[in-house]
Amino acid sequence: MAVTRRASHAGSWYTDSGTELNKQLGSWLNAADLTHGPARAIIAPHAGYSYCGACAGFAYRQISPVVVRRIFILGPSHHVRLAGCALSSASVYRTPLYDLHIDQQVYRELEETNQFEWMDMNTDEDEHSIEMHLPYIAKVMEDFKGSFTIIPILVGSLNPDREAAYGNLLAPYLADPQSLFIISSDFCHWGQRFRYTYYDRSCGPIHRSIQNLDKMGMDIIETLNPPAFTDYLKKYGNTICGRHPIGVLLQAISSLRSNTNGQKMNLKFLKYAQSSQCNNMSDSSVSYASAALLLE
């Protein structure tokens, strides 16, 4: 008996009409160019589609559905405190387009490492960081409906050592050309409601300072250097909510490089957006960025 997670954010964070959703996603994908694919991994935002759907399209446009058979989705935990990573107790994830099936074999392999907890259905359905990627996955993979599986992983507040441990563990999957990794992250959450108001006045208006701060982080992520990203976060405290999933990806890349005599890899940010432009201290905004990783 399949245990199904419902599309709990459909009808609020994005439309629950399959026809409308299909059209929306298609138009965002068509508006983006294929410049950095076929992607082995992408970083893409997870806010309501009216805010970040267009930005996410740039990451999803880099995917080649022909080769992909397993899709790992690493999303940060927003609602429960988690020291490690957790797997879903569902076997099917519903979307308004069609159902996505969890890869039970990979889940068993991950469970055997004893490094994973299980999230209950309430935690799973409360969380949006994984769900917001499911319709995009369904859209991009629509011609290969029955021939791919998903591996959702909820990522907790990991210290750098644990990021490295999960990175090592996931590196062999990242090495497989049939795998795709989706790293779910928004960028700076700025404003008093986020308790984060870093402002470098030399940049001009606040929104420029935020963009500058995010750009600095994006440039560091592109260097594929995990400790440099950790240092950047320590120094500026930038509220990048998917920093731990990004850290795990960087560690997986690092592990893969050391096992393949430095295989060439290239991560590039393709699009950046803000929910609104902050001009005074009472404003707030969330930033979004899309990136793709190529293995050459």
Side-chain angles (χ1 to χ4, degrees), residues 17 209-210 219 230 247 276 283:
S17 152
S209 165
I210 296 169
D219 289 347
T230 303
S276 59
D283 291 342

Side-chain angles (χ1 to χ4, degrees), residues 40 170-179 181 252 256 260 263 295:
R40 185 70 57 90
L170 293 171
Y173 298 103
L174 182 65
D176 183 348
Q178 295 191 323
S179 293
F181 275 71
L256 194 50
T260 53
Q263 177 173 12
L295 267 62

Side-chain angles (χ1 to χ4, degrees), residues 134-149:
L134 305 177
Y136 251 123
I137 291 169
K139 176 62 181 165
V140 169
M141 299 299 293
E142 64 190 346
D143 293 339
F144 300 89
K145 263 184 204 151
S147 59
F148 74 96
T149 52

